[in-house]
Amino acid sequence: MDIPIPEPPPRHTARPWLLGAALLALSGLPAAVVGTALLAGALLWGPDWSPLAPVLLFWFGITGAVARERGPLPGRAVNPGDEPGLAALVRDVAERLGFRAPLLVRIVPGVQASLGRVRVAGVRSHVLLLGLPLLRTLTEAELASVIAHELAHERHIAGRGDAFLRYARSRLAHRLEGRVRPLAAPAAPLLRASRPGLWRAETAADADAARVAGAEATGSALRRTVALHAVFEGLGETWLAALAERDAWPADFYDALDTALADPHVARRAARTAADEDALDPYDTADHPPVATRLAALPALPGTGTYGGGPVPLRQAAETARWCVHRLALQDGEEEDDVEPVRLLGLDPGELRGLDDGTGTALLFRATGHDTPAAAVAAALDTLADGTWQRLARRLEPGLRWAPRAVRGQLARTVYAAAVAGALAEVLETSGWTPATRWMTTVLTAPDGRTVDLRELLGEAVSTADPSRPRALLTKARPEETPA
């Protein structure tokens, strides 16, 4: 039996407009200051200020470009006749939610699900973007919950004030990404004040998704989506970048992603990465609550039994995958015949792992002054013991000095652990350790059969300021090369 979707509570519309206006004004403050200075300079220049006119026109033009820019709809259109299974699922979810507006569905290459407003042939419509990795990976019930969550936004973030507030927050968040962040202090209270309403809207949309597909499917979809996003960024983008340097493209990109995600070592690393990313929000710019918060807020609702336990079948799966990977791998104007197709799953495991650029060890050599992996790891562990490891992390990644203070330590830990783990893996492999997975270089199996994720091991060593466990591995592997 269907569980009725309650009407959302009435909202006060003045608050998002006022907060959005304050956020937008603050984000535009640097441009306004520079523009005012240019205008003052033009006026003080004298009666003939025409030489400054092009500069003024360019400056005031680019400051409004983001708001005016419009382009073609992203993604590949879904024709209901071509994909009846997906069309039927979207239609069923929309009916359960009472979503009556015209709706277009388009498939995009990345891990994405979003709902936007568009005007097509003069008719106000909505467009639902669904990432191909989600369509391939999620079960029908999980995908139904994702679709329900996005359509539910029309109920919970339907007002123009809410959309304006989201836009203003994104503009200000963009201003806080540079090295110099003079707006950080005044932005913090506004971002904190404007976040609770958006977070409530997200958890309310999650609740609607649970009413449509059940809490179990909704929670599973949340966990799998964030893991898939981490794998897409951590492995997928690495493959794309490495093959692009070879004038090649991954013909089985999505098959490789599916296979990698099924590896328990990859899934564990992805879950940890996603949790770490949730914690990286120094200025409260995240519009979505952490996944753990969303999972805890889900109402305990059973599934309806309507949706299946496997992915929705796509009739044009091969054509859609090819179209998507072309958008990811080929440059504008580049044809498929211009680059070499490579099957990732056909590569030797060592070659597949080698698609990672492997610069971490070289950087560690330079940062420590040692030219062998064992000596470099030993020197790095010494900095952990004496408390100077963050200084080493800054030598490995100079940009850390510009990171916000609130997250600088966590980012430094990630940089340090990645570089030292990569070098330690090289040492251990020469002493009989073997790769535990074809996907990552820093998950190894010891001669006694135990498996160790060196990135995780080094991360824990940093958190506890105790290098004893990685030092024990290093000493046992290469005692003669390890400095006293």
Side-chain angles (χ1 to χ4, degrees), residues 27-228:
S27 69
L29 186 60
V33 169
V34 174
T36 301
L38 288 172
L39 183 59
L43 294 174
L44 294 173
W45 191 282
D48 183 16
W49 56 275
S50 56
L52 288 180
V55 177
L56 289 170
L57 290 173
F58 173 74
W59 181 260
F60 287 112
I62 62 172
T63 55
V66 175
R68 294 195 305 269
E69 184 178 352
R70 295 292 184 272
L73 292 177
R76 177 183 170 97
V78 174
N79 186 319
D82 295 333
E83 300 294 357
L86 179 57
L89 178 62
V90 173
R91 185 165 52 249
D92 182 76
V93 172
E95 289 174 356
R96 291 173 184 269
L97 286 172
F99 188 94
R100 301 283 183 259
L103 181 63
L104 306 174
V105 181
R106 300 180 72 89
I107 298 175
V108 292
V111 184
Q112 178 183 355
S114 62
L115 182 73
R117 295 185 180 187
V118 295
R119 187 179 291 272
V120 180
V123 178
R124 291 181 178 177
S125 306
H126 292 74
V127 58
L128 176 66
L129 303 181
L130 295 173
L132 181 59
L134 301 180
L135 298 177
R136 293 171 58 99
T137 304
L138 301 184
T139 66
E140 186 179 25
E142 291 167 344
L143 183 59
S145 78
V146 170
I147 294 170
H149 175 96
E150 298 306 326
L151 297 186
H153 279 320
E154 185 62 15
R155 295 158 42 81
H156 301 290
I157 313 179
R160 290 180 179 272
D162 292 329
F164 175 64
L165 180 58
R166 278 184 176 271
Y167 168 74
R169 280 177 58 87
S170 68
R171 286 292 301 272
L172 186 53
H174 178 70
R175 298 291 188 192
L176 298 177
E177 291 176 356
R179 289 187 171 184
V180 181
R181 295 174 290 272
L183 301 180
L190 288 174
L191 289 167
R192 280 196 300 270
S194 60
R195 189 177 69 175
L198 298 180
W199 280 26
R200 283 194 297 270
E202 291 298 330
T203 54
D206 286 339
D208 283 352
R211 293 184 182 97
V212 168
E216 182 178 353
T218 302
S220 177
L222 278 170
R223 288 188 291 268
R224 295 181 72 181
T225 297
V226 297
L228 185 53

Side-chain angles (χ1 to χ4, degrees), residues 402-418:
W402 302 103
R405 184 181 299 274
V407 298
R408 196 177 298 161
Q410 183 175 341
L411 292 174
R413 184 187 71 173
T414 300
V415 169
Y416 176 95

Side-chain angles (χ1 to χ4, degrees), residues 234-250:
L235 289 178
E237 293 184 358
T238 297
W239 300 335
L240 291 167
L243 291 179
E245 293 182 357
R246 306 180 188 182
D247 290 327
W249 65 284

Side-chain angles (χ1 to χ4, degrees), residues 408-439:
R408 196 177 298 161
Q410 183 175 341
L411 292 174
R413 184 187 71 173
T414 300
V415 169
Y416 176 95
V420 180
L424 181 57
E426 293 186 23
V427 177
L428 295 177
E429 283 196 62
T430 63
S431 64
W433 290 58
T434 56
T437 172
R438 68 192 301 180
W439 310 105

